[in-house]
Amino acid sequence: MWFEIIPAFSIVAVCLAIPHVAVFGLNKLVNGNAFRRDTVERYDRIFYQRDWRITGNPYQPTGLDAIPNEE
């Protein structure tokens, strides 16, 4: 019957979900945070570099107090 496909579907679904869960843990282990920025587009890379220059760590949000004042 139709329900005989449920075990095979479950195995495939779990195998496809493992990389998404593993990336969360690997980023936490390697980068110190659980998320990774997407830098595929040119503007995303520019914003990442801007945040790195201003704060030193683009993954920790900061406000305007992180930008140094000009003299």
Side-chain angles (χ1 to χ4, degrees), residues 1-67:
M1 294 289 294
W2 65 268
F3 53 83
E4 292 175 354
I5 199 166
I6 292 176
F9 176 76
S10 301
I11 291 170
V12 170
V14 168
C15 289
L16 289 174
I18 287 173
H20 297 287
V21 175
V23 167
F24 182 85
L26 287 173
N27 279 333
K28 183 73 172 170
L29 180 67
V30 173
N31 296 331
N33 60 354
F35 303 103
R36 189 185 76 176
R37 277 199 166 175
D38 181 22
T39 56
V40 175
E41 299 294 326
R42 178 176 179 267
Y43 289 110
D44 293 334
R45 289 190 298 269
I46 291 171
F47 291 146
Y48 178 83
Q49 290 175 343
R50 178 204 61 191
D51 292 345
W52 186 263
R53 277 192 313 267
I54 291 175
T55 62
N57 186 359
Y59 295 103
Q60 291 188 359
T62 55
L64 291 175
D65 55 338
I67 300 174

